[in-house]
Amino acid sequence: MGPRRTTPRGANAVPALALALVLALALALTLTATRADAVSLDYRGAVLSERQVASLVAPALRSPGDSAAVRTSLGRLVARLQDDGFLDARADASWAGGAAPLRVEVTEGAHHRLARVEFRGLVPGDSALAKALELPSGGAASGSAIAAAMNRAVDAAAESGHPYARVWLSGWDRDSTGERVVIGGSLGPEISVLGLRFEGLRQTSPKLLERAAGPVRGRYRESAALAARDRIERLGLFRSVRLEDPEGAGDFETARLVLRVEERPYNRFEGVVGSQGDGGVVGLAHVELENLAGTGRAAAVRWEGRGHGVATFTARYAEPLVLGLPLALEGTFDQQLFDTLYTSTKGRLAARWTGSSAAVIETGVAAERVVQEHADVQQANTQSTWLAVGRDRLDDAVAPRAGYAFRLEASQSFTTERRLDGSRDTPRSSAAEATVTRLQRLGLRSGFALEVRSAGRFGSRRVLPLYERYALGGAASLRGYDEEAFRVDRYALSRLEWRWFLPARQYAFLFWDHAEATTRVATLTGDRLDARHQDGIGFGVSLAASSGRLALTYGLAPGRGASEGKVHVRLISPF
């Protein structure tokens, strides 16, 4: 950070452009809403309220004159009435022309109730299914309620050891007293589970999945089978895990649970080459192996050359299913050389618990040693602890188009510093970081991606040393600037992309990055707080190549010439 409050050239132009874009988007949304609201509803019926009908026929209200939307809306309206017991309900709609209301006329007919519910089993033991139906007489004759009762009976039977139980509708007639429904069913044999069988495995070891699934032997229970599937899914090794029907043995009383899994590429190479403003070249090479020899163990090696004498080397190893639990232990070694200013060596040990909803809780400890040859603090040894929570629901790991992800982290650090004059100091600091990503499709051909990051470090010292500050700039953070162009105490960064989708999961995009950062710097009389506002704009394309995925990005800081833009070429190759 420089000694003055910094406002880059052309900084006022981008906020004005951003404001214009926001206003244009708001105007478009307003016009869309106006178009939908301009079509009012003229409802004529006796059972549902006008608000309920407006919600059911919303597709027609949004598309005046669209006959397909009208048919869809009327179908939803009639289905709702029939579910409420108005089995003879009919609905008609018509347009008066222009922007006139949509007229909906509903004839509900008589309200039908269940007079009798009879159950007929194949053998006397099947009567246990009748108790689980819980379908009393006198209620509305609703098809969805009857279907829900039948599903409830099958689920109860599966939980009691009868996975082959079946329930069907045998008859439905009407007399003067109301509707009479006849339901048939068969409980089937009681099944004991002998073990597991997996479909779709090519690389992963079955023994790993058996450990993850936990104990499954004994009387079949649907909840236990689903829990086993859930534990395997939490390994994060598969695109999908599906529980199939049990595979029966010859005696009709024993079976194996069958789980069908869909494997994905577990290994990945990532390479990035970029240009700096002074003509220098930066690069990255990252090799990740997520399922070593089918054991679920992971290892990774990463090297980054960020220009100006800045380089980073990282190695990582992870062990899954510690103590047979969805708990992974991960060790990381990291070394960073920052030109002639300092050298940092860090080791981390993390424990990561994956919950049933794909939420991740992580905690760990880290030790870092920083050596500076040309500074007042010659050596700093830091011990840190942190706690983080996160979740990833993106639809694809390499080229996502929809979904969301987030991560929140808080840490506490204690440092012992050895100064040039031989004295020692023990400063403390705390940090909080948050990252939220949202991808949304806006149609068949377009969508947006928004990533918001925020981080801040607060310590017992008013002025933080350089090695404790956050790096901003480059392809992974603030595009259009050199790698790690800025070192700051706190920042908020947004990365917005407007995407046009191409065939084969390819897309082109425009982007706008914006950062707000503050840093406290030392002065001759004390210190002061400097604020920085930076923007980056540009465009890029993500293409499917024979070796994986190729991305090309051009970023530019506003106010600079086109020749000063930053170009990054990125290759991700799963294997």
Side-chain angles (χ1 to χ4, degrees), residues 284 302 304 451 453 472-479 483 493 495 513 568:
L284 175 150
R302 182 184 183 97
E304 291 185 57
E451 180 182 356
R453 305 181 199 169
L472 274 182
S477 57
L478 184 59
R479 290 168 287 191
E483 296 292 324
L493 170 68
R495 291 159 52 97
D513 296 349
H568 286 87

Side-chain angles (χ1 to χ4, degrees), residues 334-374:
D334 183 277
Q335 187 170 52
Q336 182 180 33
L337 174 65
F338 195 90
D339 198 15
T340 59
L341 297 180
Y342 71 83
T343 300
S344 168
T345 304
K346 180 185 293 186
R348 291 163 50 105
L349 180 63
R352 184 182 302 107
W353 178 277
T354 304
S356 58
S357 60
V360 175
I361 301 176
E362 181 179 298
T363 186
V365 296
E368 181 180 16
R369 181 174 180 266
V370 177
V371 177
Q372 302 180 112
E373 295 183 0
H374 309 288

Side-chain angles (χ1 to χ4, degrees), residues 84 95 142 288 372 380 409 493 572:
D84 289 344
W95 298 98
S142 168
E288 189 165 2
Q372 302 180 112
E409 179 179 325
L493 170 68
I572 300 178

Side-chain angles (χ1 to χ4, degrees), residues 14-30 496 498 512:
V14 168
L17 175 61
L19 180 60
L21 291 174
V22 171
L23 291 176
L25 180 59
L27 179 60
L29 294 175
T30 301
L496 177 63
W498 189 275
W512 170 38

Side-chain angles (χ1 to χ4, degrees), residues 148-161:
M150 295 167 65
N151 288 333
R152 188 164 52 245
V154 171
D155 291 343
E159 187 65 20
S160 64

Side-chain angles (χ1 to χ4, degrees), residues 501-549:
F501 298 131
L502 305 172
R505 298 189 71 87
Q506 304 177 121
Y507 60 90
F509 60 92
L510 298 175
F511 72 81
W512 170 38
D513 296 349
H514 177 72
E516 299 276 345
T518 58
T519 307
R520 190 169 293 279
V521 297
T523 65
L524 294 177
T525 58
D527 59 71
R528 72 168 184 275
L529 191 66
D530 277 0
R532 181 177 291 274
H533 317 279
Q534 305 290 160
D535 293 276
I537 57 175
F539 59 88
V541 62
S542 178
L543 304 174
S546 59
S547 57
R549 179 159 292 271

